[in-house]
Amino acid sequence: MNLNVYLAGEIHSDWRKELKEKAENLPVVFTGPMENHDRSDGIGEEVHGAQPDSISKDEAASRINNLRTSLLLKKSDLAVAFFGESFKQWNTAMDASAAIEMGKPLILIRPKSLHHPLKELSSRASVTVENISQAVQVLSYVFEEE
Amino acid sequence: MNLNVYLAGEIHSDWRKELKEKAENLPVVFTGPMENHDRSDGIGEEVHGAQPDSISKDEAASRINNLRTSLLLKKSDLAVAFFGESFKQWNTAMDASAAIEMGKPLILIRPKSLHHPLKELSSRASVTVENISQAVQVLSYVFEEE
Amino acid sequence: MNLNVYLAGEIHSDWRKELKEKAENLPVVFTGPMENHDRSDGIGEEVHGAQPDSISKDEAASRINNLRTSLLLKKSDLAVAFFGESFKQWNTAMDASAAIEMGKPLILIRPKSLHHPLKELSSRASVTVENISQAVQVLSYVFEEE
Amino acid sequence: MNLNVYLAGEIHSDWRKELKEKAENLPVVFTGPMENHDRSDGIGEEVHGAQPDSISKDEAASRINNLRTSLLLKKSDLAVAFFGESFKQWNTAMDASAAIEMGKPLILIRPKSLHHPLKELSSRASVTVENISQAVQVLSYVFEEE
Amino acid sequence: MNLNVYLAGEIHSDWRKELKEKAENLPVVFTGPMENHDRSDGIGEEVHGAQPDSISKDEAASRINNLRTSLLLKKSDLAVAFFGESFKQWNTAMDASAAIEMGKPLILIRPKSLHHPLKELSSRASVTVENISQAVQVLSYVFEEE
Amino acid sequence: MNLNVYLAGEIHSDWRKELKEKAENLPVVFTGPMENHDRSDGIGEEVHGAQPDSISKDEAASRINNLRTSLLLKKSDLAVAFFGESFKQWNTAMDASAAIEMGKPLILIRPKSLHHPLKELSSRASVTVENISQAVQVLSYVFEEE
Amino acid sequence: MNLNVYLAGEIHSDWRKELKEKAENLPVVFTGPMENHDRSDGIGEEVHGAQPDSISKDEAASRINNLRTSLLLKKSDLAVAFFGESFKQWNTAMDASAAIEMGKPLILIRPKSLHHPLKELSSRASVTVENISQAVQVLSYVFEEE
Amino acid sequence: MNLNVYLAGEIHSDWRKELKEKAENLPVVFTGPMENHDRSDGIGEEVHGAQPDSISKDEAASRINNLRTSLLLKKSDLAVAFFGESFKQWNTAMDASAAIEMGKPLILIRPKSLHHPLKELSSRASVTVENISQAVQVLSYVFEEE
């Protein structure tokens, strides 16, 4: 049995690379957002051409990024959401909550320092861990027989 | 990961051929309505034999065409809806709306001249573009990693 | 038992007034879009202030009109969709299709002259009629005991 | 027709009071989270008694607060989500996204300064506005006939 | 607590009258199909005018009767399906199965003589009984406290 | 694209064999009930041992046959329901209605002589035909490009 | 706003009476299973007459009790499940799990001594408490404003 | 056609091994919980490190075990639930009920001695049998053609 796992969260660090390496022996296909930050912010202009202002640029990009996220999240069996120490990351919370409402199991990764502001999301997640190795342990456990 | 994409819209032009050519490198299977216009209008009589009048002929055909659309749309991961300058195209609007209600991402292609009458549908679509190349850019973006 | 019925369709004529009068003895609450055409087109600027161009004005309005339609349609038990001889009426087709996908019974009213372009939608509707009196007859029949 | 509206967002300011006052003539019942911040944080210990540490205290409280939110959100016809200039507000993003996935129309209120970090959520909301009066205008519009 | 109960089945006998009388003390609103058999068969022509043949007459009527059934069944909390000794009653089986798929509890009433041909439907029903009094006993039991 | 098609209906004739032969060039996997009539009636006793009476025997068999039907119907993309001139065939009507409620397209095959008693089911089916060749034509049409 | 709350669990003690008394000031309608144990076990024979053996008696009763539970649980906004020190209570676990799958918030009441065997259910419940007063506190909190 | 079958129930005996051996010729992939009892109880500490007490240890483990069960159950086509003579097995009842609510067919295996306490669950299961061989017979029957 193969699983399809969506990796939601910041695209400023290379946490997905680390997770994929640690999970390389698992029968899992990983998907996620565009990780090139400039292309992610600029995809609206790339498709529609130059926009009059930064708000229009953002709107054009966010619709295309949402299409990608929504499509890949729906095809996934499980989602992982990663919160780092920085950034507002409201779309990480949005994606994590969407996964929960769709009935997908969710593994939440967040540093202990973010416990308080993430307590409601943590409570609704399937499992909350503090680092990537722990998330891979949980993922691996789904396939283990003994 | 492969995607299944339904192409809703007029069958009077060869826009699907153009789109498929531009997307030929993507791991996508395209489906859509019967593109032979005479067969599409005549499939009711082809199956049931000659009908007493054009209304009966239309009713017989539309049930079979709806069966095809409904089945293929449900199996798709994403839908594209194309509106050209001509024709009433109410079934394009019907298919696009059905896709949205089923939770499928929708790419709407329409000339800028149709902005006003399609503003509500455009607002509910995932992404609205003006030509086929832009639709393929969006589709391609789902698979790109950087 | 009371029913809640959504009236989808053009806001250029007073067909809703005629239907409500003919159905005044039925235990039905009717809802529908904003019928003042100028306010419907202008609600985006009314809320957000003047917009830079007509496309932005349309986008702002259509999101608010879609919110209203979506909310009222979801609360309805049945939808009526009216197509007149004029106008593109793609949002009528969109609303009618949304109602069908939500599992709401749909009564389609359209002049016989529009039979061919509406044949697929007619085939998916619960009942298709040609005038408002017939639609009210169908609605009334739901409540009649003999 | 009456509506039930859930007010998601920070409980540090009195934005709900302002919104309710401005909407006092609408046939709307408003619900929302516990607005007394100390009780919201302390409800876990209020029910279960003193907890060994702040993490246990938070976990106990968040389950009870999530029960309340989940129940009231599901009973609502529409949700409003308010983001202020301060606080992480990840549970506001979580509630807003849950409302969207449940198919509830969502009005997002956020200052223009938060446009960029909220662009994906704004794009998925039904309508985004910048202040409470605008949100009430949109709410009111659902009930207006002309 | 009030319940809404749909009574599916033949309209040739007055079993609904008997059931309603026996259940007159329960807080239940009963709905069902048009019980006047001539009007039920003729409603298509009543609305659309004379039809060219009996098949067209039947098609016109069945769409209107299906609209009524579908609407009332969806609003019900529970369905009762009655099979008598005579008639083909395929639409009774259709309505009973639709109720089951919608997750409505179903009470099946059938004479013991029909046990074999109805064994699959009986097995999927919530409860199968042999007469109307037993069905009312089951219905009553839902409200009893001891 | 392959389709999975469930063949509901009587197991007394070899209509499935005829249909499969006529559709042998289509990329379709067909499923259906146990076609050996004695095993279908006797599967309850085969599993649980001899039963005290024919009603118990029927109940034991019908639960196992329902498990099979329910499982295979849910995995199918489309259902075909066949009514012959004889037999009560209430479980055919039950399976057909279940398929419709699950949102599966349904092709109904019935002789013209059964038009009247099957008019409601026919109206809810996607397409109604009179013989197996016509059903295969409709099935084939889903795959044809011109 | 009124809530409808289903009380799942043993019918051997009067825990429901205690809970209702403690919640008497809340705008809640409580429902639950038949609490008269003899009638609950005997309802099958009450409706169908004497059964040949205790297994048939149980089967007849359980279908009627399941109809009641399923109907009332579906109409509820929230469920409470009570586990006492004795009895197998597998139907309490069944009802609690059904409520969770239906998306109803669940309050689980169980003595601390049952922590280990109920750990998975406790983890899936919205909130777990140890006594009836705590459950009423949680219920009350849903209505409190400060 | 291949099936995916989830095996819910106790992990203290080797009933799964017996079932898999007896079903080795069927095109079925079996999944289930972690069968190593110590790892199942200890997976929380394995991932999160030592916990302060047995309740915390249990909570940590149950979230991870629930993630596994929920994911695998959702991917399955059918579930088997096994109750032995010993143990409380509330999570077996929980998993069985979850499968039923998800619309998965359920085969319940239980010794005759447990008939009374399991009568409600047995009544809601698709098929109830008394031993593993009977369960395999039912499973096999889904694939048999005559």
Side-chain angles (χ1 to χ4, degrees):
Chain A
M1 196 189 57
N2 297 309
L3 293 184
N4 192 317
V5 173
Y6 187 82
L7 301 176
E10 66 182 32
I11 58 178
H12 308 73
S13 67
D14 59 354
W15 69 274
R16 285 183 187 77
K17 186 155 167 283
E18 183 187 340
L19 191 151
K20 287 175 192 173
E21 283 170 8
K22 286 183 166 146
E24 72 185 343
N25 292 325
L26 300 178
V28 172
V29 174
F30 292 102
T31 60
M34 164 56 64
E35 292 184 61
N36 177 325
H37 198 255
D38 285 345
R39 280 206 69 206
S40 176
D41 274 3
I43 184 64
E45 293 198 326
E46 195 179 306
V47 170
H48 300 287
Q51 298 296 307
D53 53 36
S54 70
I55 289 198
S56 299
K57 180 187 167 186
D58 275 358
E59 280 177 356
S62 61
R63 291 183 79 151
I64 299 174
N65 283 313
N66 278 342
L67 179 151
R68 176 172 170 151
T69 301
S70 157
L71 175 57
L72 298 178
L73 195 51
K74 197 163 301 167
K75 288 185 81 74
S76 70
D77 298 302
L78 180 147
V80 176
F82 179 94
F83 284 82
E85 298 274 359
S86 331
F87 311 111
K88 289 202 178 287
Q89 307 174 95
W90 283 321
N91 44 8
T92 307
M94 176 181 84
D95 293 347
S97 179
I100 292 168
E101 282 303 317
M102 288 176 194
K104 315 276 183 191
L106 177 76
I107 300 173
L108 176 64
I109 311 175
R110 54 112 189 81
K112 205 162 191 168
S113 58
L114 293 181
H115 176 77
H116 189 72
L118 279 171
K119 64 184 184 299
E120 282 84 11
L121 188 55
S122 172
S123 174
R124 297 193 66 209
S126 307
V127 176
T128 298
V129 296
E130 288 171 31
N131 60 53
I132 288 172
S133 300
Q134 291 172 316
V136 173
Q137 272 183 292
V138 174
L139 210 47
S140 172
Y141 182 71
V142 173
F143 298 97
E144 293 168 22
E145 308 240 323
E146 58 185 84
Chain B
M1 195 189 58
N2 296 310
L3 293 185
N4 192 317
V5 173
Y6 187 82
L7 301 176
E10 66 182 33
I11 58 177
H12 308 74
S13 67
D14 59 354
W15 69 273
R16 283 182 189 78
K17 186 156 166 283
E18 183 186 341
L19 191 150
K20 287 175 191 173
E21 283 169 9
K22 287 183 165 146
E24 72 185 343
N25 293 323
L26 300 178
V28 172
V29 174
F30 292 102
T31 60
M34 164 55 65
E35 292 184 61
N36 177 326
H37 198 256
D38 285 345
R39 282 207 68 207
S40 175
D41 274 3
I43 183 65
E45 293 198 325
E46 195 180 304
V47 170
H48 300 286
Q51 298 296 306
D53 53 37
S54 69
I55 289 198
S56 299
K57 180 187 167 185
D58 276 358
E59 279 178 356
S62 61
R63 290 183 79 151
I64 299 174
N65 283 313
N66 278 342
L67 179 150
R68 176 173 169 150
T69 300
S70 158
L71 174 57
L72 298 178
L73 195 51
K74 197 163 300 166
K75 288 184 80 74
S76 70
D77 299 302
L78 179 147
V80 175
F82 178 93
F83 284 83
E85 298 273 359
S86 332
F87 312 111
K88 289 204 178 289
Q89 306 175 95
W90 282 320
N91 44 10
T92 308
M94 176 181 84
D95 293 346
S97 179
I100 292 167
E101 282 303 318
M102 288 177 195
K104 315 276 184 192
L106 176 75
I107 300 174
L108 175 64
I109 310 175
R110 55 109 188 83
K112 206 163 190 167
S113 58
L114 293 181
H115 176 77
H116 189 71
L118 279 171
K119 63 184 185 297
E120 281 83 11
L121 188 55
S122 172
S123 173
R124 296 194 68 210
S126 307
V127 176
T128 299
V129 296
E130 289 171 29
N131 61 53
I132 288 172
S133 300
Q134 292 172 315
V136 174
Q137 273 183 290
V138 173
L139 210 46
S140 172
Y141 183 72
V142 172
F143 299 96
E144 294 168 21
E145 308 240 324
E146 56 185 86
Chain C
M1 194 189 56
N2 296 311
L3 293 185
N4 191 317
V5 173
Y6 187 82
L7 301 176
E10 66 182 32
I11 58 176
H12 309 73
S13 67
D14 59 355
W15 70 274
R16 284 183 188 79
K17 185 156 168 282
E18 183 186 340
L19 191 151
K20 287 175 192 174
E21 282 170 8
K22 287 184 165 146
E24 72 184 344
N25 293 324
L26 299 179
V28 172
V29 174
F30 291 102
T31 60
M34 164 56 63
E35 292 184 61
N36 177 325
H37 197 257
D38 285 345
R39 281 207 70 207
S40 175
D41 274 4
I43 183 64
E45 294 198 324
E46 195 179 307
V47 170
H48 300 287
Q51 298 295 306
D53 52 38
S54 69
I55 289 199
S56 299
K57 180 187 167 185
D58 276 358
E59 279 177 357
S62 61
R63 290 182 81 151
I64 299 175
N65 283 313
N66 278 343
L67 178 152
R68 175 172 171 150
T69 300
S70 159
L71 175 57
L72 297 178
L73 195 51
K74 198 163 299 165
K75 288 185 81 73
S76 70
D77 299 302
L78 180 147
V80 176
F82 179 94
F83 283 83
E85 298 273 0
S86 333
F87 311 109
K88 288 205 179 287
Q89 307 174 92
W90 283 321
N91 44 10
T92 307
M94 176 181 84
D95 293 347
S97 179
I100 292 167
E101 282 304 316
M102 288 176 195
K104 316 275 183 192
L106 177 75
I107 300 173
L108 176 64
I109 310 175
R110 57 109 186 84
K112 205 162 192 168
S113 58
L114 293 181
H115 176 78
H116 189 72
L118 279 170
K119 64 185 185 299
E120 281 84 11
L121 187 55
S122 172
S123 173
R124 296 194 69 208
S126 307
V127 176
T128 299
V129 297
E130 289 172 28
N131 60 54
I132 287 171
S133 300
Q134 291 172 316
V136 174
Q137 273 183 290
V138 174
L139 210 46
S140 172
Y141 182 71
V142 173
F143 298 97
E144 294 169 21
E145 307 240 324
E146 57 185 84
Chain D
M1 196 190 56
N2 297 311
L3 293 185
N4 192 317
V5 172
Y6 187 82
L7 301 176
E10 64 181 34
I11 58 176
H12 309 73
S13 67
D14 59 355
W15 70 273
R16 284 182 187 78
K17 186 156 167 282
E18 183 186 340
L19 191 150
K20 288 176 191 172
E21 282 170 8
K22 286 184 166 145
E24 73 185 343
N25 292 324
L26 299 179
V28 172
V29 174
F30 291 102
T31 59
M34 164 55 65
E35 291 184 62
N36 177 325
H37 198 255
D38 285 344
R39 282 207 67 208
S40 176
D41 273 3
I43 183 65
E45 294 197 324
E46 195 179 306
V47 170
H48 300 287
Q51 298 296 306
D53 53 37
S54 69
I55 289 198
S56 299
K57 179 187 168 186
D58 276 358
E59 279 178 355
S62 61
R63 290 182 80 151
I64 299 175
N65 283 314
N66 278 342
L67 179 151
R68 175 172 171 150
T69 300
S70 160
L71 175 57
L72 297 178
L73 195 52
K74 198 163 300 166
K75 289 185 80 73
S76 70
D77 299 302
L78 181 147
V80 176
F82 179 93
F83 283 83
E85 298 273 358
S86 331
F87 312 110
K88 288 203 179 287
Q89 307 174 93
W90 282 320
N91 45 9
T92 307
M94 176 182 84
D95 293 347
S97 179
I100 292 168
E101 281 305 316
M102 289 177 193
K104 315 275 183 194
L106 176 75
I107 300 174
L108 176 63
I109 310 176
R110 56 109 187 84
K112 205 162 192 168
S113 57
L114 293 181
H115 176 76
H116 189 72
L118 280 170
K119 63 184 186 298
E120 282 83 11
L121 187 55
S122 172
S123 173
R124 296 194 68 208
S126 307
V127 176
T128 299
V129 296
E130 289 171 29
N131 60 54
I132 288 171
S133 299
Q134 290 172 316
V136 174
Q137 272 182 292
V138 173
L139 210 47
S140 172
Y141 182 72
V142 173
F143 298 97
E144 295 169 21
E145 307 241 324
E146 57 185 83
Chain E
M1 196 190 56
N2 297 310
L3 293 185
N4 192 316
V5 173
Y6 187 83
L7 302 176
E10 66 182 33
I11 58 176
H12 308 74
S13 67
D14 58 355
W15 70 273
R16 283 182 188 78
K17 185 156 167 283
E18 182 185 341
L19 191 151
K20 287 176 192 174
E21 282 170 8
K22 287 184 165 145
E24 72 185 345
N25 292 324
L26 299 179
V28 172
V29 174
F30 292 103
T31 60
M34 164 56 64
E35 292 184 62
N36 176 324
H37 197 257
D38 285 345
R39 280 207 70 207
S40 176
D41 273 3
I43 184 63
E45 293 197 325
E46 195 180 305
V47 169
H48 299 287
Q51 298 296 307
D53 54 36
S54 70
I55 289 198
S56 299
K57 179 186 168 186
D58 276 358
E59 280 178 356
S62 61
R63 291 183 78 151
I64 299 175
N65 283 313
N66 278 343
L67 179 150
R68 175 172 170 149
T69 300
S70 157
L71 175 56
L72 297 178
L73 195 51
K74 197 162 302 163
K75 288 185 82 73
S76 69
D77 298 302
L78 179 147
V80 176
F82 179 94
F83 284 83
E85 298 272 0
S86 333
F87 311 110
K88 288 201 180 289
Q89 308 174 94
W90 283 321
N91 44 10
T92 307
M94 176 182 83
D95 294 346
S97 179
I100 293 167
E101 283 303 317
M102 288 177 195
K104 315 274 184 194
L106 177 76
I107 300 174
L108 176 64
I109 310 176
R110 56 110 187 83
K112 205 163 191 166
S113 58
L114 293 181
H115 176 76
H116 189 72
L118 279 171
K119 64 184 185 299
E120 282 84 11
L121 188 56
S122 172
S123 172
R124 296 194 68 209
S126 307
V127 176
T128 298
V129 297
E130 290 172 28
N131 61 52
I132 288 171
S133 299
Q134 292 172 316
V136 173
Q137 273 183 291
V138 174
L139 210 46
S140 172
Y141 182 72
V142 173
F143 298 98
E144 294 168 21
E145 307 240 326
E146 57 185 84
Chain F
M1 196 189 56
N2 297 311
L3 293 185
N4 192 317
V5 173
Y6 187 83
L7 302 176
E10 65 182 34
I11 57 177
H12 309 73
S13 67
D14 59 354
W15 70 273
R16 284 183 187 78
K17 186 156 167 281
E18 183 186 341
L19 192 150
K20 287 176 191 173
E21 282 169 9
K22 286 184 166 147
E24 72 185 343
N25 293 322
L26 300 179
V28 172
V29 174
F30 292 102
T31 60
M34 164 56 64
E35 292 184 61
N36 177 327
H37 198 257
D38 285 344
R39 281 207 69 207
S40 176
D41 274 3
I43 183 64
E45 294 197 325
E46 195 179 306
V47 170
H48 300 285
Q51 298 295 306
D53 53 38
S54 70
I55 289 198
S56 299
K57 180 187 167 186
D58 276 358
E59 279 177 356
S62 61
R63 290 182 80 151
I64 299 175
N65 283 313
N66 278 341
L67 179 150
R68 176 173 170 148
T69 300
S70 158
L71 175 57
L72 297 178
L73 195 51
K74 197 162 301 165
K75 288 185 81 73
S76 71
D77 299 301
L78 181 147
V80 176
F82 179 94
F83 284 83
E85 299 273 359
S86 333
F87 312 110
K88 289 202 179 289
Q89 306 173 97
W90 283 320
N91 45 9
T92 308
M94 176 182 84
D95 293 347
S97 180
I100 292 168
E101 283 303 317
M102 287 177 196
K104 314 275 184 194
L106 176 76
I107 300 174
L108 176 64
I109 310 177
R110 55 110 188 82
K112 205 162 191 168
S113 58
L114 293 181
H115 176 77
H116 189 73
L118 279 171
K119 62 184 185 300
E120 282 84 10
L121 188 55
S122 172
S123 173
R124 296 193 68 209
S126 307
V127 176
T128 299
V129 297
E130 290 171 28
N131 61 52
I132 288 171
S133 300
Q134 291 173 316
V136 174
Q137 273 183 292
V138 174
L139 210 47
S140 172
Y141 183 72
V142 172
F143 298 98
E144 294 168 22
E145 307 241 324
E146 58 186 86
Chain G
M1 195 188 57
N2 297 310
L3 292 185
N4 192 317
V5 172
Y6 187 82
L7 302 176
E10 66 181 34
I11 58 177
H12 309 73
S13 67
D14 58 355
W15 70 274
R16 284 183 187 78
K17 185 155 168 283
E18 182 186 341
L19 191 150
K20 287 176 192 173
E21 282 170 9
K22 286 183 165 146
E24 72 185 343
N25 293 324
L26 299 179
V28 172
V29 174
F30 292 102
T31 60
M34 164 56 64
E35 292 184 62
N36 176 325
H37 198 255
D38 286 344
R39 281 207 68 207
S40 176
D41 273 3
I43 183 65
E45 294 198 325
E46 194 180 306
V47 170
H48 299 287
Q51 298 297 305
D53 52 36
S54 69
I55 288 198
S56 299
K57 180 186 168 187
D58 276 358
E59 279 178 356
S62 61
R63 290 183 80 151
I64 299 175
N65 283 313
N66 277 342
L67 179 150
R68 175 172 170 151
T69 300
S70 159
L71 176 57
L72 297 179
L73 195 51
K74 198 164 300 165
K75 288 185 81 72
S76 70
D77 299 301
L78 181 146
V80 175
F82 179 93
F83 284 83
E85 298 273 0
S86 331
F87 312 111
K88 288 205 178 286
Q89 308 173 94
W90 282 320
N91 44 11
T92 307
M94 176 182 83
D95 293 346
S97 179
I100 292 167
E101 281 304 315
M102 289 177 193
K104 315 275 184 194
L106 176 76
I107 300 174
L108 176 64
I109 310 176
R110 55 111 189 81
K112 205 161 190 168
S113 58
L114 293 180
H115 176 77
H116 189 72
L118 280 171
K119 63 182 185 300
E120 282 84 11
L121 188 55
S122 172
S123 173
R124 295 194 69 208
S126 307
V127 176
T128 298
V129 296
E130 288 172 30
N131 60 53
I132 288 172
S133 300
Q134 291 172 315
V136 174
Q137 272 182 291
V138 174
L139 209 46
S140 172
Y141 182 71
V142 173
F143 298 98
E144 294 168 21
E145 308 241 324
E146 57 185 83
Chain H
M1 196 189 58
N2 297 309
L3 293 185
N4 192 317
V5 173
Y6 186 83
L7 302 176
E10 67 182 33
I11 57 177
H12 309 73
S13 67
D14 59 354
W15 69 273
R16 284 183 187 78
K17 185 155 167 283
E18 182 185 341
L19 191 150
K20 287 176 192 173
E21 282 170 8
K22 286 183 166 147
E24 72 185 344
N25 293 323
L26 300 179
V28 172
V29 174
F30 292 102
T31 60
M34 164 56 65
E35 292 184 62
N36 177 327
H37 198 256
D38 285 345
R39 281 207 68 207
S40 175
D41 274 2
I43 183 66
E45 294 198 325
E46 194 179 306
V47 170
H48 300 286
Q51 298 295 307
D53 53 38
S54 70
I55 290 199
S56 299
K57 179 187 168 186
D58 276 357
E59 279 177 356
S62 61
R63 290 182 80 152
I64 298 174
N65 283 313
N66 278 342
L67 179 152
R68 176 173 169 149
T69 300
S70 158
L71 175 57
L72 297 178
L73 194 51
K74 198 162 301 164
K75 289 184 81 73
S76 71
D77 299 302
L78 181 147
V80 175
F82 179 94
F83 284 82
E85 299 273 359
S86 333
F87 311 110
K88 288 202 179 288
Q89 307 174 94
W90 283 321
N91 45 9
T92 308
M94 176 182 83
D95 293 346
S97 179
I100 292 168
E101 282 303 316
M102 288 177 195
K104 314 276 183 193
L106 177 76
I107 300 174
L108 176 63
I109 311 175
R110 55 112 188 81
K112 205 162 191 167
S113 58
L114 293 181
H115 176 78
H116 189 72
L118 278 171
K119 63 184 185 299
E120 283 83 10
L121 188 55
S122 172
S123 174
R124 296 193 68 209
S126 307
V127 176
T128 299
V129 297
E130 290 171 28
N131 60 53
I132 287 171
S133 299
Q134 291 172 316
V136 173
Q137 273 182 291
V138 174
L139 209 47
S140 173
Y141 183 70
V142 173
F143 298 98
E144 294 168 21
E145 308 241 323
E146 57 185 87

